[in-house]
Amino acid sequence: MCGIMGYSGYQEAVPVLIGGLRRLEYRGYDSAGIVIAENGGLTIEKRAGTLDVLVRALNNRRFTATFGIGHTRWATHGSPTDINAHPHADCSGRLAVVHNGIIENYRFLRNWLKSEGHVFKSDTDTEVLPHLIEQYYQDDLYQAVSRALEHVEGSFAVLALALDEPGRLIVARQDSPLVIGLGERENFIASDIPALLPYTQNTYLLNDGEMAEVSPDGVKVFDFNGTPVFKDVFQVNWEAEQAEKAGYDHFMLKEIHEQPRALRDTLRGRVDESCWQAVLDELDLDRGVARSLKKVFITACGTAFHAGVVGKYVIEKLARVPVEVDIASEFRYRDPLINAGDLAIVVSQSGETADTRAALREARRRGARVVAITNVVGSSVAREADSILYTWAGPEIAVASTKAYVTQLAAFYLLAVWLAGERGTLPDDEREAILRALREIDHGVETLLADADRIAALAHRYQQRECLFFIGRGLDYAVAMEGSLKLKEISYIHAEAYAAGELKHGTLALITAGVPVIALATQPDLFDKTLSNIKEVKARGAEVVTLTFASDHDTEDLGDHIIHLPPTHPVLAPILAVVPLQLFAYYAAVFRGCAVDKPRNLAKSVTVE
């Protein structure tokens, strides 16, 4: 959620820290700060607001320090102020810490430390950490951090330094990601890979319950008991350019336009065109497991949850097995009836989403086999699941997810077709028709992207409306939910998605003259029903934008504006239908002057519950 950057080496630390934090801005934040050892003391600069505010506060000063730590904070405990920004120091001003996560027992620790004479300045939970480390510090920062963490309950990625131990950084991880970048005479720490790409592609991925000592001379990793841990080097296959805007005005627009490539990469090697079968050897599931399935559970958050709703429809339709789909933050608290022999599918772009990881663990605890659909190799979800179905979307920087969503859909289609083949529930000709259309779906996305100007004109028309509704049935309702989320999260227009058949059960009370309604009508077996719903809202004065395939229907029946989707198999319509909705949300946000890549109050990877 927040961004962490650390450096120890031979270069001046401040430019490296600021550069790393720049590449972590997409995660969402409301304050920023750094700490370095300079002129016999720790220099801490931190400011509420953007990273540019911090840079101005540094006032072009020249710093010679060659090690330090930095942070961009997304406020949880305490409002976004200079005082609450990280780093936080101990009473002596000789120890400093940055932290991602939540210290759940911080009130108890704070009260105890106050009774020991420690003085607190901020409202944050994080500030207990430097004081707790100070309490145990005896000229060995590693030992002090280790002892301090014995008292901490919650999730954390911790990075600490001490004035009296130049070049030495101590890191620790529990339920919040940390990556160590390996260099020559220099090493780096970050909360996400993009911060490291200009410097190295060789990394260590810390696991939960691990600590590390980082210096220019090397990296030593230990478990929380102090036992050395051997780490394999993980080589990142992204190029630094992939995490840049490449001439686009925003990361979100770049990522929308990357969707054809992302789909091709995700499908590559997974469709056998000689017999039109889905090839998912990485799942390591045999036919017996597939055939004996009694139930599938899908759990995810936000956009990934909406992909899961599509997954429910297609797995039930093609593989004929019951599917439940849950918001991950609710899954384990409802005491789900999941058992050994069931299949749980967890979906997370980053593979670090806290609620999704908790759901994964609950499913495994109850004996279910877990398949992870994720975009990040080596992520926590990938390491903890029994099987992994990677989406090859490449780095997704914008907070509002786009290319991750369509590749998650592609993964669900592959999984549904594969299950159907193993269970014998899908005729050969239908399987071939779906896989043929899936292999060609990238061309349909390209066609829609070429019509972006028309979508922009519609977004301009409705940019100042106070509310907007999305309606659809079946698969269209699942896409309507994603379209609604995209619009509200980046343009701040109040948007709601409804199953079209529910209009008459209350929603029609909100439909008045001029209210925009975006209607999805892509499913042949539900088309006439959806057409009736369009007429219902039209009769009450709504302005209707309809997404549909070309048909023989009178266009007056379909709404005020019609967006025709390129032809494809109806079950694959969500991949195409979402593209105009993504563009609509993007241009509406641009016309309203919103921060498209960094919407207010949101963060990219939510690593706290």
Side-chain angles (χ1 to χ4, degrees):
M1 183 156 54
C2 311
I4 283 177
M5 185 67 186
Y7 176 74
S8 182
Y10 61 88
Q11 301 185 58
E12 292 180 10
V14 171
V16 177
L17 296 177
I18 296 297
L21 295 179
R22 284 263 183 233
R23 286 177 284 275
L24 295 174
E25 285 189 287
Y26 70 92
R27 295 172 69 90
Y29 70 103
D30 42 41
S31 62
I34 62 168
V35 57
I36 56 172
E38 190 84 1
N39 300 322
L42 291 185
T43 296
I44 297 177
E45 289 287 353
K46 53 183 185 174
R47 293 292 186 275
T50 67
L51 197 57
D52 289 332
V53 176
L54 173 64
V55 170
R56 287 196 295 272
L58 295 172
N59 196 29
N60 295 318
R61 285 177 285 167
R62 178 72 181 273
F63 298 99
T64 60
T66 57
F67 83 111
I69 59 181
H71 192 265
T72 53
R73 174 180 184 253
W74 188 76
T76 54
H77 295 65
S79 58
T81 64
D82 291 355
I83 293 296
N84 288 334
H86 297 208
H88 290 288
D90 68 333
C91 294
S92 71
R94 303 181 74 82
L95 302 169
V97 169
V98 297
H99 159 245
N100 288 352
I102 298 290
I103 307 301
E104 294 176 356
N105 62 334
Y106 83 97
R107 292 185 184 87
F108 169 80
L109 293 174
R110 188 181 181 105
N111 290 335
W112 172 62
L113 289 164
K114 282 183 175 180
S115 72
E116 294 289 314
H118 293 268
V119 177
F120 286 78
K121 299 178 181 178
S122 78
D123 300 319
T124 68
D125 57 330
T126 297
E127 198 185 356
V128 301
L129 290 173
H131 292 288
L132 197 57
I133 294 168
E134 180 186 24
Q135 185 74 12
Y136 294 109
Y137 186 68
Q138 295 179 345
D139 301 321
D140 187 332
L141 185 60
Y142 173 86
Q143 291 297 330
V145 172
S146 179
R147 289 197 63 188
L149 292 180
E150 293 175 3
H151 301 274
V152 172
E153 298 173 7
S155 62
F156 50 81
V158 174
L159 176 51
L161 59 73
L163 178 64
D164 298 328
E165 299 182 47
R168 193 182 192 206
L169 304 176
I170 304 299
V171 301
R173 170 191 169 143
Q174 183 65 45
D175 293 325
S176 197
L178 273 178
V179 183
I180 298 174
L182 307 174
E184 294 290 334
R185 297 191 297 124
E186 60 181 354
N187 291 292
F188 311 81
I189 303 105
S191 51
D192 207 353
I193 287 170
L196 305 177
L197 291 179
Y199 310 107
T200 182
Q201 290 182 300
N202 296 321
T203 66
Y204 287 156
L205 305 178
L206 286 190
N207 294 321
D208 288 344
E210 289 182 347
M211 297 178 61
E213 176 184 330
V214 179
S215 71
D217 301 324
V219 176
K220 299 176 183 178
V221 182
F222 307 88
D223 65 20
F224 279 3
N225 295 318
T227 304
V229 175
F230 174 79
K231 304 291 288 187
D232 290 322
V233 175
F234 176 73
Q235 189 165 48
V236 179
N237 59 7
W238 301 347
E239 298 296 333
E241 291 77 12
Q242 288 182 270
E244 303 296 334
K245 292 180 184 176
Y248 288 91
D249 290 338
H250 299 92
F251 280 112
M252 183 180 178
L253 185 62
K254 172 177 177 278
E255 289 158 12
I256 290 172
H257 282 267
E258 287 176 337
Q259 288 177 127
R261 189 273 308 157
L263 285 164
R264 289 191 291 269
D265 288 349
T266 297
L267 295 172
R268 184 174 294 120
R270 288 170 166 171
V271 177
D272 185 344
E273 297 183 9
S274 67
C275 57
W276 292 107
Q277 299 275 9
V279 181
L280 297 178
D281 295 338
E282 64 259 54
L283 288 183
D284 194 27
L285 291 173
D286 60 34
R287 177 169 296 180
V289 172
R291 287 186 169 180
S292 64
L293 275 180
K294 296 293 189 294
K295 204 166 191 180
V296 175
F297 291 79
I298 299 171
T299 185
C301 302
T303 286
F305 170 75
H306 296 155
V309 176
V310 174
K312 168 186 168 65
Y313 278 97
V314 297
I315 291 173
E316 288 188 339
K317 183 178 182 65
L318 304 184
R320 308 308 298 164
V321 58
V323 181
E324 290 189 21
V325 58
D326 279 276
I327 297 170
S329 57
E330 297 292 327
F331 178 76
R332 62 184 174 140
Y333 298 112
R334 71 173 180 86
D335 194 17
L337 299 176
I338 184 170
N339 303 296
D342 292 334
L343 181 67
I345 303 170
V346 300
V347 192
S348 169
Q349 187 280 137
S350 67
E352 302 293 349
T353 311
D355 292 316
T356 305
R357 292 182 65 198
L360 182 158
R361 292 167 179 170
E362 181 66 12
R364 291 199 68 183
R365 188 181 71 81
R366 293 171 181 256
R369 184 179 183 89
V370 177
V371 172
I373 296 177
T374 185
N375 190 43
V376 180
V377 176
S379 61
S380 297
V381 161
R383 294 198 297 269
E384 294 181 34
D386 298 298
S387 304
I388 313 159
L389 190 51
Y390 282 115
T391 59
W392 300 111
E396 189 178 67
I397 306 302
V399 169
S401 179
T402 52
K403 62 179 180 175
Y405 174 77
V406 297
T407 56
Q408 288 162 1
L409 294 186
F412 271 118
Y413 288 122
L414 290 167
L415 182 56
V417 171
W418 182 85
L419 284 171
E422 297 299 305
R423 293 170 64 84
T425 57
L426 190 63
D428 291 348
D429 59 343
E430 183 70 0
R431 184 184 68 245
E432 179 177 343
I434 292 172
L435 289 178
R436 278 186 181 274
L438 189 59
R439 290 288 288 142
E440 298 171 358
I441 200 78
D442 58 310
H443 302 305
V445 175
E446 288 170 342
T447 299
L448 290 164
L449 292 173
D451 199 29
D453 288 347
R454 184 168 176 238
I455 307 300
L458 286 171
H460 189 271
R461 177 183 181 89
Y462 296 118
Q463 61 167 305
Q464 295 303 326
R465 302 299 172 91
E466 294 298 322
C467 63
L468 193 147
F469 294 94
F470 293 75
I471 62 172
R473 288 174 176 259
L475 284 169
D476 287 335
Y477 173 49
V479 180
M481 289 194 289
E482 175 60 11
S484 171
L485 175 62
K486 282 291 150 291
L487 186 64
K488 72 180 76 174
E489 71 179 331
I490 63 169
S491 76
Y492 318 141
I493 295 173
H494 183 101
E496 296 294 341
Y498 288 94
E502 283 291 288
L503 285 168
K504 54 187 172 292
H505 298 295
T507 313
L508 276 175
L510 298 174
I511 303 298
T512 56
V515 169
V517 174
I518 295 182
L520 292 93
T522 72
Q523 301 302 298
D525 55 337
L526 292 166
F527 186 87
D528 289 336
K529 295 289 187 184
T530 305
L531 193 59
S532 296
N533 301 135
I534 291 172
K535 290 180 177 179
E536 286 177 335
V537 295
K538 281 289 293 175
R540 287 154 180 83
E543 290 190 35
V544 180
V545 178
T546 302
L547 276 67
T548 188
F549 295 110
S551 70
D552 296 329
H553 284 270
D554 189 328
T555 56
E556 290 184 1
D557 292 336
L558 290 172
D560 301 281
H561 308 278
I562 302 170
I563 300 171
H564 282 123
L565 304 178
T568 192
H569 193 290
V571 79
L572 302 179
I575 291 179
L576 297 180
V578 77
V579 175
L581 304 185
Q582 294 169 343
L583 289 168
F584 183 86
Y586 170 78
Y587 286 112
V590 169
F591 293 140
R592 289 166 65 89
C594 301
V596 173
D597 288 333
K598 294 177 283 185
R600 66 189 183 203
N601 302 330
L602 300 180
K604 180 65 177 174
S605 179
V606 183
T607 55
V608 297
E609 287 193 82

